[in-house]
Amino acid sequence: MSWQAYVDDHLMCEIEGNNLTSAAIIGLDGSVWAQSEAFPQYKPEEIDAIVKDFEEPGYLAPTGLFLGGTKYMVIQGEPGAVIRGKKGSGGVTVKKTGLALIIGIYDEPMTPGQCNMIVERLGDYLLEQGF
């Protein structure tokens, strides 16, 4: 399966009638493996900061998580595994695998839990596959 198919079929899938706004699989080096059409144009330093938070949990807490220039308030996550961010009625979930970041961005009516489930399920699967 291509990386784009993972984004299209597994991240942008429908869950209880809702879909993510956008999603991507990005290598830990900042390279795009695959992304949805609406995924924001991000800066390399934004990805570097996310990777650093996985290495040093809490790194993003004082400044927030930035993606495509949008600032998300960092909320509870799983240190070294998942970062969750909130902005207004939407947010972002980032799951780290051995080689990549699985990123899902959502807005209402999707709930944070639905976004977490979609992103983390694919991330766990890819970890099991050695990615």
Side-chain angles (χ1 to χ4, degrees):
M1 184 180 293
S2 74
W3 292 114
Q4 191 61 50
Y6 280 110
V7 170
D8 296 341
D9 300 341
H10 297 280
L11 292 175
M12 297 304 292
C13 65
E14 184 177 303
I15 181 169
E16 298 172 16
N18 300 317
N19 297 79
L20 292 172
T21 308
S22 61
I25 301 173
I26 298 173
L28 296 179
D29 62 357
S31 62
V32 175
W33 291 13
Q35 65 184 24
S36 64
E37 200 174 305
F39 195 77
Q41 182 65 47
Y42 61 87
K43 298 181 176 97
E45 56 268 21
E46 292 173 333
I47 300 303
D48 293 344
I50 292 169
V51 171
K52 185 163 183 165
D53 191 83
F54 282 113
E55 296 164 359
E56 299 174 28
Y59 173 77
L60 289 175
T63 60
L65 181 157
F66 285 85
L67 196 57
T70 300
K71 180 181 179 178
Y72 296 90
M73 180 178 65
V74 177
I75 54 176
Q76 98 291 349
E78 296 165 35
V82 179
I83 299 170
R84 298 183 184 109
K86 188 90 174 110
K87 176 176 174 49
S89 61
V92 63
T93 300
V94 184
K95 170 78 176 181
K96 181 182 178 286
T97 70
L99 301 172
L101 302 173
I102 315 302
I103 303 173
I105 299 172
Y106 70 94
D107 214 335
E108 284 186 338
M110 180 170 266
T111 66
Q114 291 171 331
C115 179
N116 295 342
M117 187 186 314
I118 289 171
V119 171
E120 293 174 38
R121 188 185 305 153
L122 179 60
D124 290 341
Y125 171 77
L126 292 175
L127 276 167
E128 289 169 13
Q129 303 305 308
F131 292 104

